[in-house]
Amino acid sequence: MGFGRRVFQTKEIGELRLMSSSLQCATHEDTPSVKVVVRRVTSKADQRCFFEFPWKLYEDDPHWIPQLPSMRRDTLDKQKHPAWEYMTGDYFVAYHNGETVGTIAAFVNHRHNKFHDEHIGFFGFFGWRRKRTAAV
């Protein structure tokens, strides 16, 4: 798919699991602790947040050239995009006080792993608001 980066080694290739639905993130020592909730995209509302996040993130960036919404929709659709025939993974959204502050996709490309005799996963669609805690 061309949008991922190697992120972790796995002993077994299988379903990716979110270890915790709520994470208390460490922050810079002079910043008060902030609770960031990370949720797997399962609802229409979460899908909308994940889909629309880049437009909110880069709305003031004059150099950002957005992907056509229809192309992004097709890329993210696990039923339409052909790469999902040999990949497993999920999309995640990070929230702080009800506001979307980050997104990420984590996936395993089984063809890649078989061809290269590896057991690795990838991530993509990583974006976060300039609040340090979202990326921690």
Side-chain angles (χ1 to χ4, degrees):
M1 290 173 72
F3 54 75
R5 299 186 193 280
R6 292 177 191 215
V7 66
F8 54 87
Q9 287 278 353
T10 60
K11 291 188 180 193
E12 292 183 22
I13 302 170
E15 179 183 349
L16 297 172
R17 296 195 176 124
L18 181 61
M19 301 307 279
S20 172
S21 62
S22 178
L23 304 173
Q24 183 72 32
C25 297
T27 61
H28 194 270
E29 54 195 42
D30 62 353
T31 305
S33 182
V34 177
K35 187 171 186 179
V36 174
V37 177
V38 179
R39 288 199 315 241
R40 183 187 319 248
V41 172
T42 57
S43 69
K44 292 276 187 192
D46 289 340
Q47 288 174 349
R48 178 174 291 217
C49 289
F50 191 95
F51 182 85
E52 294 176 352
F53 186 66
W55 280 267
K56 293 177 182 176
L57 182 62
Y58 299 113
E59 66 187 349
D60 296 327
D61 185 345
H63 304 289
W64 184 59
I65 300 172
Q67 183 179 23
L68 292 173
S70 60
M71 291 177 69
R72 181 167 172 84
R73 194 171 293 109
D74 288 348
T75 300
L76 296 175
D77 189 329
K78 291 182 179 182
Q79 305 303 315
K80 285 186 179 180
H81 200 284
W84 287 106
E85 293 175 11
Y86 52 87
M87 291 185 354
T88 54
D90 286 301
Y91 303 115
F92 300 91
V93 179
Y95 298 94
H96 174 253
N97 292 334
E99 175 189 3
T100 303
V101 293
T103 60
I104 193 166
F107 53 94
V108 174
N109 182 327
H110 298 285
R111 283 190 184 168
H112 170 93
N113 285 338
K114 184 176 181 179
F115 182 82
H116 294 283
D117 193 28
E118 295 180 322
H119 300 285
I120 62 172
F122 298 86
F123 71 91
F125 297 104
F126 179 63
W128 76 99
R129 293 228 183 246
R130 299 209 186 281
K131 296 179 182 177
R132 176 180 163 88
T133 57
V136 171

